[in-house]
Amino acid sequence: MPAQAHDERKPAPANGVKKAEPVPPAPPPLPNPTTGSANPSASLHALWGYLHPALEHIVRAPTNNPAKAPAIDVSYHMGVHTAVYNYFTAQSDASPTPTGFAGFPARFSVQSEKAKASGADLYEQLDRYYADVAREIFLGAPADDSTLIHYLVPCFNRYSAGAQSVSRLLNYVNRHYVKRAVDEDRGWLRLADVLDAVARTIREDDTREKVQKRLRERRSEELKKWGYREGDPPARVAQIESYAEAASAPDRVVPLAAAAYRRFRLEVLDPLLAVPKLKVSKGGKKKRPPPSNGDKPPLPRGRLARAVKELLESKGGDEEEKRRLAGELAIALRTVGIKVDHPLRKKLDKYLPPEER
């Protein structure tokens, strides 16, 4: 991942008029690699060899604007789309057609393991790629809590820009594999997750429409954990659902951008949010830190919580910059699926820009 951006402030000129600084040029688009007579859609190994340079450029290449991922050449973009389409088509043609039961949705159809795996191998490879990138970010974090957020925010912005760009590049994976997996009840919220709660409210004489209404109500209850409110417009509901997708377990199939954010949460933020365990004394009791000024002893904090406290409570420095960092960290926590009732989110959400609330 690229190093964090440095804020190099130059002294104002003698006449007091600040000249506009030239914006460094963006890196050139990555050209389409030569494949010769090789067919990039012949196997996962061949497809990944063709895709990997594009992913490295989009997600990891240095850039002057962390909010915008470097581009690839138009011919490379079209080549990737064609290779992925051909690979999925070849898999589908080689897989037997699933047999279903009349009147039941696709998730109750009988499929062979080969049919289920169509597209799963590429999806899992992408998930491992994002795990590696996120782990690299975590391992590169500074040891000093006072600089942790200054490192984390631009790293997340760069990672997020890359993830969104890759999602657009590989949209066929979302349309072909992810959508089908969700239809087969393998998405972030599965029927089994809500069935027990809904079953307790169903009466024997309830119609199918009433049961479906209760299932929708239960889904809305789940979305409230990430900020959903009754009457929210469809665009906001879709955005909130993307937070829930990022908060899901790794075995749930979610869109590629949500899968990338999920990996950032699992590999970077969860370890930084983890609260250290209290030491156990010889008598079996947990040792708490000694109290200060007669107050109750402080509870242990995760590293990210300590860094936020230091950022917001430290004396001196640019207060506007502190608020900006706190607001962007709040956006990152929300995006990767940290729930609204998490103590750190409650503390940081007040710094969100008005348009983000």
Side-chain angles (χ1 to χ4, degrees):
M1 290 295 296
Q4 62 183 27
H6 295 285
D7 186 12
E8 298 180 356
R9 302 182 187 273
K10 297 181 180 180
N15 60 8
V17 179
K18 186 177 179 181
K19 295 182 179 179
E21 296 183 2
V23 178
L30 185 69
N32 192 3
T34 303
T35 59
S37 60
N39 179 7
S41 58
S43 66
L44 177 64
H45 178 76
L47 180 62
W48 190 252
Y50 184 60
L51 282 176
H52 192 255
L55 298 178
E56 289 288 278
H57 184 71
I58 293 170
V59 178
R60 279 189 163 121
T63 175
N64 299 314
N65 182 3
K68 185 176 181 181
I72 64 173
D73 191 79
V74 174
S75 63
Y76 196 4
H77 193 288
M78 293 301 298
V80 167
H81 179 82
T82 301
V84 171
Y85 174 83
N86 290 340
Y87 180 73
F88 275 65
T89 301
Q91 279 195 321
S92 298
D93 291 343
S95 301
T97 304
T99 58
F101 300 106
F104 285 84
R107 61 176 171 268
F108 295 112
S109 61
V110 179
Q111 293 178 301
S112 70
E113 288 303 312
K114 189 173 184 179
K116 287 183 180 179
S118 177
D121 51 358
L122 178 58
Y123 184 87
E124 291 166 2
Q125 184 76 19
L126 288 164
D127 186 52
R128 286 191 292 268
Y129 176 79
Y130 282 127
D132 289 342
V133 176
R135 202 172 298 119
E136 180 183 302
I137 294 173
F138 176 72
L139 294 175
D144 186 358
D145 289 346
S146 65
T147 58
L148 177 61
I149 296 174
H150 297 77
Y151 166 82
L152 205 56
V153 166
C155 279
F156 175 77
N157 290 341
R158 175 68 184 89
Y159 179 92
S160 178
Q164 291 292 340
S165 182
V166 170
S167 178
R168 291 189 292 271
L169 175 66
L170 300 179
N171 188 44
Y172 191 75
V173 178
N174 285 329
R175 290 192 290 115
H176 176 86
Y177 174 70
V178 175
K179 183 179 183 302
R180 187 185 62 194
V182 172
D183 290 343
E184 293 171 354
D185 198 35
R186 292 188 284 137
W188 74 273
L189 186 65
R190 299 181 181 176
L191 188 60
D193 300 331
V194 299
L195 201 54
D196 288 343
V198 172
R200 289 194 293 268
T201 66
I202 294 176
R203 297 196 303 267
E204 188 176 349
D205 59 342
D206 278 348
T207 62
R208 181 176 180 178
E209 288 72 21
K210 286 185 178 180
V211 173
Q212 289 179 337
K213 181 182 177 183
R214 286 188 174 88
L215 287 171
R216 289 194 297 270
E217 290 171 349
R218 184 61 185 174
R219 179 176 173 274
S220 298
E221 287 298 318
E222 286 294 315
L223 288 176
K224 285 179 181 178
K225 297 176 183 177
W226 291 276
Y228 169 75
R229 295 185 292 267
E230 295 291 342
D232 276 341
R236 176 168 167 77
V237 175
Q239 187 66 56
I240 290 170
E241 186 163 11
S242 73
Y243 306 152
E245 290 167 342
S248 65
D251 66 325
R252 305 297 172 102
V253 179
V254 297
L256 289 178
Y261 292 135
R262 179 170 63 190
R263 278 299 169 189
F264 195 93
R265 173 178 58 82
L266 292 171
E267 306 295 341
V268 181
L269 290 183
D270 279 357
L272 293 174
L273 289 168
V275 177
K277 295 181 180 179
L278 294 171
K279 296 181 179 179
V280 180
S281 62
K282 292 181 180 179
K285 294 183 178 180
K286 293 182 178 179
K287 291 183 178 179
R288 288 182 176 271
S292 57
N293 301 326
D295 296 329
K296 292 182 179 180
L299 294 173
R301 296 173 180 265
R303 189 174 172 212
L304 189 56
R306 296 198 307 268
V308 168
K309 178 179 172 63
E310 183 160 348
L311 173 74
L312 298 178
E313 297 181 9
S314 60
K315 303 297 182 182
D318 188 337
E319 293 299 322
E320 185 177 344
E321 175 67 4
K322 291 180 182 180
R323 289 193 294 272
R324 182 190 69 81
L325 287 169
E328 292 197 25
L329 182 59
I331 292 173
L333 293 179
R334 180 180 67 184
T335 303
V336 302
I338 304 300
K339 296 178 182 178
V340 293
D341 59 354
H342 190 283
L344 199 56
R345 268 207 62 179
K346 288 181 177 180
K347 187 172 187 176
L348 289 170
D349 278 359
K350 66 182 74 172
Y351 296 97
L352 284 169
E355 66 274 11
E356 292 285 347
R357 293 177 184 172

